[in-house]
Amino acid sequence: MLLVELVAQGLVQGSIYALIALGLTLVYGLLRILHIAHAALFTLGGYIGVLATNATGSLTLACILAMLGAGIVGVIIYRLCYEPMLSQPPFVALIASIGLYIAFEEAFRILFGAAGLTYDTPPLQHYVSVFGGLHFSLAELMVMGSSLAIIAALGYLQTHTRVGIACQATVSDPQMAQSFGIRLRTVRDLNFFVGSALAGFAGVWVALLNNLVEPTMGSVPSYKALAIIVLGGMGSVRGTLLASLVLGVAESFGTIYLDKWLDRNAIAFALLIFVLMFRPQGLFARR
């Protein structure tokens, strides 16, 4: 039963990692930019979620506002920061992204204080029994269910709609896609909006599960998300999803069996180093 419980907890954590890392993967796959400031949008979603829930009592409204807020800010970041740098080497956008994340972190500290915010009355904290002896809070079940629904919708969008096909065409050959009437700026705006909205949504649930949102909340998830997109194969959406679940389960088992040697947050990089020694292109990269 312990093994089943560890796998289940790993899947909960992996679902959150998938929501965060998917945005990074979408941006990298489209523009080959390592969007470090993505972590700030994750934190922004957490703050909006706490503030909106405390003000209205509606977690659903909080999730919607967090996704809209993070998505809009993500598009603004692209328009003002990344778009003027597309002709520059990739490291220029990377440096700018790191600076943006630091600026956001300090802005959160100034606006909301260094101590962080909590929910007045955290919703969905009741535990229910699932599959006999397994117990989950309603929040954990909602994380897994909503993550699965969002990821399925995103997969359908990418493979069965004109918008998804336009995104893929833009990645493969931007000039050719533009000659067929695809508006590159619109596709990129949509890409940043969706990826940022996913980060904001994840921020709400992480803040709820921990009952805390603070200025540095995005630091650890940001480097784990980078490890995930490398493990999954840079730019591979399917690889990112699978790598997220692998990392979540690995952390879950590691906290029990490796706690004497590795901290939970060190497991991501230990797994990354181990995999890259034998498969430098990542676990699920295409040839």
Side-chain angles (χ1 to χ4, degrees), residues 146-162:
S146 57
S147 298
L148 180 63
I150 289 174
I151 290 168
L154 184 61
Y156 181 85
L157 179 70
Q158 278 203 318
T159 56
H160 292 84
T161 66
R162 292 176 61 88

Side-chain angles (χ1 to χ4, degrees), residues 118-286:
T118 60
Y119 287 88
D120 294 337
T121 305
L124 304 178
Q125 297 303 304
H126 299 291
Y127 278 81
V128 295
S129 179
V130 180
F131 302 119
L134 292 179
H135 297 276
F136 294 95
S137 68
L138 291 176
E140 291 173 333
L141 292 176
M142 287 295 294
V143 166
M144 288 191 288
S146 57
S147 298
L148 180 63
I150 289 174
I151 290 168
L154 184 61
Y156 181 85
L157 179 70
Q158 278 203 318
T159 56
H160 292 84
T161 66
R162 292 176 61 88
V163 174
I165 294 172
C167 289
Q168 295 181 49
T170 302
V171 173
S172 302
D173 194 333
Q175 285 72 32
M176 182 64 71
Q178 193 169 26
S179 69
F180 277 91
I182 295 174
R183 299 181 61 183
L184 296 184
R185 197 181 204 194
T186 301
V187 171
R188 290 166 178 171
D189 284 346
L190 180 62
N191 188 281
F192 266 86
F193 181 86
V194 172
S196 302
L198 291 178
F201 183 77
V204 174
W205 289 103
V206 170
L208 178 60
L209 292 174
N210 298 329
N211 194 20
L212 177 67
V213 56
E214 54 186 346
T216 59
M217 188 177 82
S219 299
V220 173
S222 65
Y223 76 68
K224 288 185 180 180
L226 289 174
I228 286 168
I229 65 173
V230 174
L231 287 172
M234 300 290 280
S236 170
V237 173
R238 183 177 301 176
T240 296
L241 297 178
L242 294 174
S244 300
L245 298 179
V246 168
L247 178 59
V249 173
E251 284 189 355
S252 182
F253 277 85
T255 54
I256 300 297
Y257 298 107
L258 299 176
D259 61 319
K260 294 182 180 179
W261 299 281
L262 286 176
D263 178 77
R264 180 188 184 96
N265 293 328
I267 293 175
F269 275 106
L271 180 62
L272 175 64
I273 293 169
F274 178 79
V275 170
L276 293 185
M277 289 173 61
F278 301 98
R279 191 173 172 82
Q281 70 271 36
L283 288 172
F284 309 104
R286 296 179 179 178

